[in-house]
Amino acid sequence: MKPRLSIGTIEVIVGPMFAGKTSELIRRIVRESYAKKKVGIFKPSIDVRYSVENVVSHDGLSYPAFVVPTSKNGIWKIYELAKENGLDVVGIDEAHFFPTELVSVCEKLADEGVRVIVAGLNLDFRGEPFETVKELLARADDITYLTAVCTVCGSPATRTQRLIDGKPAPYDSPRIVVGGKELYEARCRKHHVVPGKP
Ligand code: ADP
Ligand code: MG
């Protein structure tokens, strides 16, 4: 029997912080490595929360990652490295930190037969979408929407609350501030608070 031609796809794993996006990305990548596929995870160089050469989930799973710059040209490094290493499966974490050019990189890889799995935040701390993730969702072949647990009421959380000294961050604070539990909490729609939001 002839081997089946591999059909490239874009899968998007989306949700707020603590929803399990990174864990799910690592799970899918590890699974493919058992199938003897060539796999690689990429992450933006802006994310230096835990380590610079691993993706690490909030529950402690980790996997080696190529760290790539978030500049418009820099993100084509993902394509170059994928080709150089003959990757069958490409994982990309923290997609919201990349510019929208990431979409072209993912589409090109998928068109060339690569399984692309991208994880990213649905919304910023203000409750507004990240352009890159929005674009990826529209073009995805498969979407997994994960929720976390609201730290106030225990309902499914779809939003990321930023806190400054334990209080909700105002609407006009900077859009990107890298942090973990000391700065962010998962919240449901009802308990997501953004003072000064128009
Ligand atoms: P993400 O990449 O979406 O931020 P991770 O995969 O890094 O998520 O981490 C998910 C893990 O975070 C969960 O398995 C759980 O152990 C932990 N966690 C901490 N706070 C919460 C919360 N409020 N809701 C759900 N999981 C949480
Ligand atoms: Mg993550």
mmCIF file of all heavy atoms in Angstrom, residues 52-77:
data_model
loop_
_atom_site.group_PDB
_atom_site.id
_atom_site.type_symbol
_atom_site.label_atom_id
_atom_site.label_comp_id
_atom_site.label_asym_id
_atom_site.label_seq_id
_atom_site.Cartn_x
_atom_site.Cartn_y
_atom_site.Cartn_z
ATOM 1 N N VAL A 52 14.548 29.924 29.114
ATOM 2 C CA VAL A 52 14.597 30.374 27.726
ATOM 3 C C VAL A 52 14.656 29.262 26.700
ATOM 4 O O VAL A 52 14.558 29.523 25.529
ATOM 5 C CB VAL A 52 15.750 31.376 27.479
ATOM 6 C CG1 VAL A 52 15.382 32.736 28.036
ATOM 7 C CG2 VAL A 52 17.054 30.883 28.033
ATOM 8 N N GLU A 53 14.824 28.030 27.138
ATOM 9 C CA GLU A 53 14.841 27.003 26.101
ATOM 10 C C GLU A 53 13.817 25.881 26.270
ATOM 11 O O GLU A 53 13.822 24.920 25.535
ATOM 12 C CB GLU A 53 16.249 26.447 25.866
ATOM 13 C CG GLU A 53 16.834 25.617 26.980
ATOM 14 C CD GLU A 53 17.401 26.452 28.101
ATOM 15 O OE1 GLU A 53 18.314 27.260 27.894
ATOM 16 O OE2 GLU A 53 16.895 26.271 29.222
ATOM 17 N N ASN A 54 12.895 26.050 27.176
ATOM 18 C CA ASN A 54 11.808 25.083 27.310
ATOM 19 C C ASN A 54 10.466 25.805 27.296
ATOM 20 O O ASN A 54 10.395 26.942 27.742
ATOM 21 C CB ASN A 54 11.904 24.340 28.650
ATOM 22 C CG ASN A 54 12.975 23.273 28.639
ATOM 23 O OD1 ASN A 54 12.992 22.417 27.762
ATOM 24 N ND2 ASN A 54 13.878 23.332 29.580
ATOM 25 N N VAL A 55 9.440 25.132 26.799
ATOM 26 C CA VAL A 55 8.099 25.616 27.117
ATOM 27 C C VAL A 55 7.710 24.898 28.397
ATOM 28 O O VAL A 55 7.911 23.697 28.527
ATOM 29 C CB VAL A 55 7.038 25.343 26.017
ATOM 30 C CG1 VAL A 55 7.132 26.337 24.895
ATOM 31 C CG2 VAL A 55 7.097 23.937 25.491
ATOM 32 N N VAL A 56 7.169 25.643 29.346
ATOM 33 C CA VAL A 56 6.825 25.061 30.640
ATOM 34 C C VAL A 56 5.372 25.405 30.969
ATOM 35 O O VAL A 56 4.976 26.563 30.874
ATOM 36 C CB VAL A 56 7.749 25.622 31.756
ATOM 37 C CG1 VAL A 56 7.438 24.943 33.090
ATOM 38 C CG2 VAL A 56 9.213 25.431 31.407
ATOM 39 N N SER A 57 4.595 24.392 31.322
ATOM 40 C CA SER A 57 3.194 24.661 31.665
ATOM 41 C C SER A 57 3.087 25.009 33.141
ATOM 42 O O SER A 57 4.013 24.758 33.913
ATOM 43 C CB SER A 57 2.333 23.435 31.352
ATOM 44 O OG SER A 57 2.594 22.421 32.297
ATOM 45 N N HIS A 58 1.937 25.570 33.528
ATOM 46 C CA HIS A 58 1.745 25.954 34.934
ATOM 47 C C HIS A 58 1.687 24.743 35.856
ATOM 48 O O HIS A 58 1.806 24.877 37.066
ATOM 49 C CB HIS A 58 0.482 26.802 35.086
ATOM 50 C CG HIS A 58 0.613 28.148 34.437
ATOM 51 N ND1 HIS A 58 -0.014 28.463 33.248
ATOM 52 C CD2 HIS A 58 1.330 29.226 34.782
ATOM 53 C CE1 HIS A 58 0.318 29.696 32.906
ATOM 54 N NE2 HIS A 58 1.123 30.185 33.806
ATOM 55 N N ASP A 59 1.477 23.558 35.289
ATOM 56 C CA ASP A 59 1.518 22.371 36.154
ATOM 57 C C ASP A 59 2.831 21.605 36.012
ATOM 58 O O ASP A 59 2.931 20.443 36.392
ATOM 59 C CB ASP A 59 0.283 21.469 35.979
ATOM 60 C CG ASP A 59 -0.029 21.181 34.524
ATOM 61 O OD1 ASP A 59 0.760 21.591 33.652
ATOM 62 O OD2 ASP A 59 -1.057 20.535 34.265
ATOM 63 N N GLY A 60 3.843 22.267 35.435
ATOM 64 C CA GLY A 60 5.203 21.734 35.502
ATOM 65 C C GLY A 60 5.674 20.858 34.348
ATOM 66 O O GLY A 60 6.801 20.379 34.363
ATOM 67 N N LEU A 61 4.812 20.639 33.340
ATOM 68 C CA LEU A 61 5.280 19.902 32.162
ATOM 69 C C LEU A 61 6.253 20.787 31.401
ATOM 70 O O LEU A 61 6.049 21.996 31.320
ATOM 71 C CB LEU A 61 4.114 19.592 31.213
ATOM 72 C CG LEU A 61 3.105 18.539 31.617
ATOM 73 C CD1 LEU A 61 2.001 18.475 30.568
ATOM 74 C CD2 LEU A 61 3.801 17.188 31.720
ATOM 75 N N SER A 62 7.293 20.172 30.825
ATOM 76 C CA SER A 62 8.161 21.013 30.009
ATOM 77 C C SER A 62 8.648 20.252 28.789
ATOM 78 O O SER A 62 8.655 19.009 28.756
ATOM 79 C CB SER A 62 9.310 21.571 30.843
ATOM 80 O OG SER A 62 10.410 20.717 30.814
ATOM 81 N N TYR A 63 9.004 21.009 27.762
ATOM 82 C CA TYR A 63 9.452 20.415 26.508
ATOM 83 C C TYR A 63 10.418 21.397 25.852
ATOM 84 O O TYR A 63 10.180 22.606 25.882
ATOM 85 C CB TYR A 63 8.239 20.159 25.596
ATOM 86 C CG TYR A 63 8.542 19.183 24.490
ATOM 87 C CD1 TYR A 63 8.349 17.821 24.670
ATOM 88 C CD2 TYR A 63 9.042 19.625 23.265
ATOM 89 C CE1 TYR A 63 8.651 16.916 23.657
ATOM 90 C CE2 TYR A 63 9.350 18.731 22.250
ATOM 91 C CZ TYR A 63 9.150 17.373 22.461
ATOM 92 O OH TYR A 63 9.452 16.482 21.466
ATOM 93 N N PRO A 64 11.520 20.903 25.271
ATOM 94 C CA PRO A 64 12.486 21.830 24.662
ATOM 95 C C PRO A 64 11.853 22.623 23.521
ATOM 96 O O PRO A 64 11.046 22.087 22.771
ATOM 97 C CB PRO A 64 13.572 20.897 24.108
ATOM 98 C CG PRO A 64 13.362 19.584 24.762
ATOM 99 C CD PRO A 64 11.918 19.501 25.140
ATOM 100 N N ALA A 65 12.236 23.880 23.433
ATOM 101 C CA ALA A 65 11.637 24.729 22.390
ATOM 102 C C ALA A 65 12.677 25.598 21.710
ATOM 103 O O ALA A 65 13.658 26.014 22.322
ATOM 104 C CB ALA A 65 10.563 25.609 23.012
ATOM 105 N N PHE A 66 12.456 25.860 20.424
ATOM 106 C CA PHE A 66 13.238 26.876 19.725
ATOM 107 C C PHE A 66 12.654 28.227 20.130
ATOM 108 O O PHE A 66 11.443 28.429 20.039
ATOM 109 C CB PHE A 66 13.052 26.770 18.206
ATOM 110 C CG PHE A 66 13.557 25.499 17.582
ATOM 111 C CD1 PHE A 66 12.687 24.499 17.164
ATOM 112 C CD2 PHE A 66 14.916 25.325 17.347
ATOM 113 C CE1 PHE A 66 13.146 23.347 16.543
ATOM 114 C CE2 PHE A 66 15.397 24.174 16.721
ATOM 115 C CZ PHE A 66 14.501 23.184 16.322
ATOM 116 N N VAL A 67 13.509 29.123 20.570
ATOM 117 C CA VAL A 67 13.037 30.464 20.914
ATOM 118 C C VAL A 67 13.242 31.352 19.693
ATOM 119 O O VAL A 67 14.352 31.436 19.165
ATOM 120 C CB VAL A 67 13.813 31.013 22.121
ATOM 121 C CG1 VAL A 67 13.335 32.407 22.483
ATOM 122 C CG2 VAL A 67 13.659 30.077 23.301
ATOM 123 N N VAL A 68 12.177 31.986 19.203
ATOM 124 C CA VAL A 68 12.309 32.800 17.991
ATOM 125 C C VAL A 68 11.863 34.240 18.240
ATOM 126 O O VAL A 68 10.989 34.498 19.059
ATOM 127 C CB VAL A 68 11.523 32.192 16.797
ATOM 128 C CG1 VAL A 68 12.177 30.923 16.312
ATOM 129 C CG2 VAL A 68 10.081 31.940 17.155
ATOM 130 N N PRO A 69 12.480 35.179 17.523
ATOM 131 C CA PRO A 69 12.137 36.585 17.725
ATOM 132 C C PRO A 69 10.724 36.900 17.232
ATOM 133 O O PRO A 69 10.203 36.203 16.362
ATOM 134 C CB PRO A 69 13.175 37.342 16.893
ATOM 135 C CG PRO A 69 13.838 36.347 16.023
ATOM 136 C CD PRO A 69 13.553 34.991 16.540
ATOM 137 N N THR A 70 10.145 37.960 17.781
ATOM 138 C CA THR A 70 8.770 38.307 17.409
ATOM 139 C C THR A 70 8.723 39.376 16.316
ATOM 140 O O THR A 70 7.653 39.870 15.996
ATOM 141 C CB THR A 70 7.977 38.804 18.641
ATOM 142 O OG1 THR A 70 8.705 39.891 19.204
ATOM 143 C CG2 THR A 70 7.805 37.726 19.667
ATOM 144 N N SER A 71 9.878 39.698 15.741
ATOM 145 C CA SER A 71 9.877 40.686 14.658
ATOM 146 C C SER A 71 9.251 40.062 13.413
ATOM 147 O O SER A 71 9.219 38.838 13.269
ATOM 148 C CB SER A 71 11.306 41.106 14.336
ATOM 149 O OG SER A 71 12.042 39.971 13.922
ATOM 150 N N LYS A 72 8.761 40.947 12.506
ATOM 151 C CA LYS A 72 8.083 40.466 11.293
ATOM 152 C C LYS A 72 8.942 39.496 10.501
ATOM 153 O O LYS A 72 8.469 38.479 10.011
ATOM 154 C CB LYS A 72 7.705 41.648 10.398
ATOM 155 C CG LYS A 72 6.457 42.348 10.883
ATOM 156 C CD LYS A 72 5.984 43.371 9.882
ATOM 157 C CE LYS A 72 4.765 44.101 10.431
ATOM 158 N NZ LYS A 72 4.241 45.101 9.526
ATOM 159 N N ASN A 73 10.211 39.818 10.332
ATOM 160 C CA ASN A 73 11.087 38.921 9.582
ATOM 161 C C ASN A 73 11.512 37.739 10.429
ATOM 162 O O ASN A 73 11.642 36.626 9.925
ATOM 163 C CB ASN A 73 12.322 39.657 9.072
ATOM 164 C CG ASN A 73 11.947 40.744 8.096
ATOM 165 O OD1 ASN A 73 11.018 40.583 7.314
ATOM 166 N ND2 ASN A 73 12.654 41.867 8.161
ATOM 167 N N GLY A 74 11.739 38.024 11.717
ATOM 168 C CA GLY A 74 12.219 36.986 12.626
ATOM 169 C C GLY A 74 11.325 35.769 12.675
ATOM 170 O O GLY A 74 11.822 34.646 12.818
ATOM 171 N N ILE A 75 10.014 35.964 12.552
ATOM 172 C CA ILE A 75 9.134 34.802 12.710
ATOM 173 C C ILE A 75 9.248 33.816 11.552
ATOM 174 O O ILE A 75 8.871 32.660 11.680
ATOM 175 C CB ILE A 75 7.659 35.170 12.934
ATOM 176 C CG1 ILE A 75 7.147 36.038 11.809
ATOM 177 C CG2 ILE A 75 7.447 35.833 14.270
ATOM 178 C CD1 ILE A 75 5.651 36.121 11.841
ATOM 179 N N TRP A 76 9.837 34.265 10.417
ATOM 180 C CA TRP A 76 10.069 33.320 9.309
ATOM 181 C C TRP A 76 11.140 32.304 9.684
ATOM 182 O O TRP A 76 11.319 31.294 9.024
ATOM 183 C CB TRP A 76 10.394 34.058 8.008
ATOM 184 C CG TRP A 76 9.124 34.592 7.430
ATOM 185 C CD1 TRP A 76 8.626 35.858 7.577
ATOM 186 C CD2 TRP A 76 8.130 33.860 6.693
ATOM 187 N NE1 TRP A 76 7.397 35.959 6.965
ATOM 188 C CE2 TRP A 76 7.076 34.740 6.420
ATOM 189 C CE3 TRP A 76 8.038 32.532 6.252
ATOM 190 C CZ2 TRP A 76 5.935 34.347 5.711
ATOM 191 C CZ3 TRP A 76 6.898 32.146 5.548
ATOM 192 C CH2 TRP A 76 5.870 33.043 5.282
ATOM 193 N N LYS A 77 11.855 32.583 10.777
ATOM 194 C CA LYS A 77 12.800 31.624 11.356
ATOM 195 C C LYS A 77 12.077 30.303 11.661
ATOM 196 O O LYS A 77 12.669 29.226 11.576
ATOM 197 C CB LYS A 77 13.351 32.252 12.645
ATOM 198 C CG LYS A 77 14.632 31.674 13.137
ATOM 199 C CD LYS A 77 15.838 32.166 12.361
ATOM 200 C CE LYS A 77 17.020 31.268 12.661
ATOM 201 N NZ LYS A 77 17.909 31.058 11.534
#
